[in-house]
Amino acid sequence: MEHHASMIEAADPMTLAIGVFLHILPNDFMRYLIGAGGVFLLVNVLFAGRLAGRKIRTTSPAVEQMRREFAISMRTTVIFALAGVLSVLGAKFGLMDTYYTAGERGWAYFAFTLIMLIITHDAWFYWTHRLIHHPRLFRRVHRTHHKSNNPSPWTAYSFDIGEAVINAVFLPLILLVLPVSMQAIIIFLLHMIVRNAIGHCGYELFPSRRSGRPLFDWMTTVTHHDLHHAQAGWNYGLYFTWWDRLMGTEHPLYHEKFAAAVRKPLDGSAVAALGRATVKAGV
């Protein structure tokens, strides 16, 4: 890490940009391959039989769809790598404060920055996600992702160029105001792809209570995001359910669908949810 820091200080901007891009691009590709591919191999192949009782839909994504998702995701990794170049150049010119030793500013601060990266990214994702669902933007910016109505882990990076840019610029923007260690950035990026791939895997992996509700109801489950692909006007959150509940955009039958995915009966709240859905629809 310190060796890379000295190289960054010595290089001219153009040489640095090219070198950083060529270094980051294979790393971003491997992160996608390990994250999305690892989840696919474990969940959708090796343990698919054991998890059959937690499959959310009766059908599985077509091979042709997954090939398309993988090809489009290669373009996304290029855009993410370019955002990485922006971050490195920003650090070189003093616009961003990144450092190379995790405990340099104390482990409490390291934990704080990692948590803040995840929380602020969830907020960024929710609001930009809602924005690109606007009819004037959806077809140009977000349609490709929703072509995967029945998603797979490979869907995680299947973005239009505009959506890929929106997702990529989060990190350079947050680094303008939050000093972060490289180790925290790496952990954050790994968390992002793994959670994203899990959210698209089609099997409910999150634990449930006896009542049929999610054990960690503040986290988005696989069912939560799967409902977004099935009915796009709901469930915009990435990691947490906070914003959807605060803004009234959580699917009214989410808990019922989750209970069905984990094969447990839900309490009477499903009846209340149906009532709320009817009122909202104006029936």
Side-chain angles (χ1 to χ4, degrees):
M1 288 284 185
E2 293 178 359
H3 174 65
H4 287 298
S6 61
M7 290 178 61
I8 288 171
E9 289 298 326
D12 66 90
M14 183 57 69
T15 302
L16 175 62
I18 295 172
V20 168
F21 177 77
L22 294 176
H23 175 74
I24 292 178
L25 181 60
N27 288 338
D28 275 342
F29 171 72
M30 288 304 299
R31 179 161 50 86
Y32 170 74
L33 189 63
I34 292 171
V39 171
F40 178 78
L41 180 63
L42 289 173
V43 177
N44 300 78
V45 179
L46 295 179
F47 294 103
R50 294 186 182 183
L51 293 170
R54 282 177 168 250
K55 197 169 189 305
I56 296 170
R57 308 196 197 188
T58 56
T59 58
S60 298
V63 173
E64 292 77 11
Q65 173 189 310
M66 291 187 284
R67 287 175 179 165
R68 171 176 54 82
E69 292 166 347
F70 184 85
I72 293 170
S73 296
M74 295 304 95
R75 181 180 65 193
T76 299
T77 61
V78 172
I79 293 171
F80 278 19
L82 290 171
V85 173
L86 283 179
S87 299
V88 173
L89 290 176
K92 177 179 174 65
F93 292 107
L95 299 174
M96 303 170 188
D97 187 359
T98 56
Y99 54 99
Y100 291 85
T101 304
E104 179 180 314
R105 305 187 186 187
W107 290 105
Y109 182 75
F110 173 83
F112 168 76
T113 56
L114 181 56
I115 292 169
M116 285 303 298
L117 283 173
I118 294 170
I119 291 175
T120 54
H121 184 231
D122 180 73
W124 172 266
F125 184 89
Y126 176 86
W127 287 105
T128 58
H129 194 186
R130 281 194 69 175
L131 176 65
I132 61 179
H133 268 269
H134 190 281
R136 293 183 179 179
L137 294 175
F138 182 86
R139 185 175 293 272
R140 296 179 179 179
V141 182
H142 195 40
R143 186 182 183 187
T144 293
H145 191 69
H146 276 276
K147 284 183 178 179
S148 302
N149 177 268
N150 188 0
S152 77
W154 303 109
T155 312
Y157 277 6
S158 183
F159 301 142
D160 285 290
I161 292 174
E163 183 175 8
V165 171
I166 289 171
N167 281 290
V169 298
F170 165 77
L171 193 55
L173 288 176
I174 195 67
L175 292 178
L176 289 171
V177 296
L178 183 69
V180 180
S181 72
M182 292 302 299
Q183 291 85 354
I185 292 172
I186 291 169
I187 294 172
F188 162 72
L189 291 173
L190 288 171
H191 170 267
M192 178 180 69
I193 182 58
V194 172
R195 280 283 273 128
N196 202 345
I198 287 173
H200 291 95
C201 74
Y203 292 81
E204 187 48 74
L205 304 180
F206 285 76
S208 63
R209 306 174 191 172
R210 286 187 176 183
S211 65
R213 288 177 174 268
L215 181 61
F216 306 109
D217 206 14
W218 48 275
M219 297 177 68
T220 55
T221 63
V222 182
T223 303
H224 195 275
H225 193 68
D226 194 271
L227 273 170
H228 176 76
H229 278 263
Q231 295 177 273
W234 307 94
N235 297 6
Y236 297 103
L238 180 59
Y239 308 130
F240 310 114
T241 57
W242 304 329
W243 285 108
D244 278 307
R245 290 179 184 172
L246 180 64
M247 303 308 299
T249 54
E250 185 169 76
H251 196 290
L253 296 180
Y254 160 55
H255 286 113
E256 183 185 47
K257 298 291 186 180
F258 177 86
V262 297
R263 306 302 188 262
K264 290 184 179 179
L266 187 65
D267 56 30
S269 61
V271 177
L274 279 168
R276 290 194 300 272
T278 302
V279 170
K280 188 170 182 178
V283 178

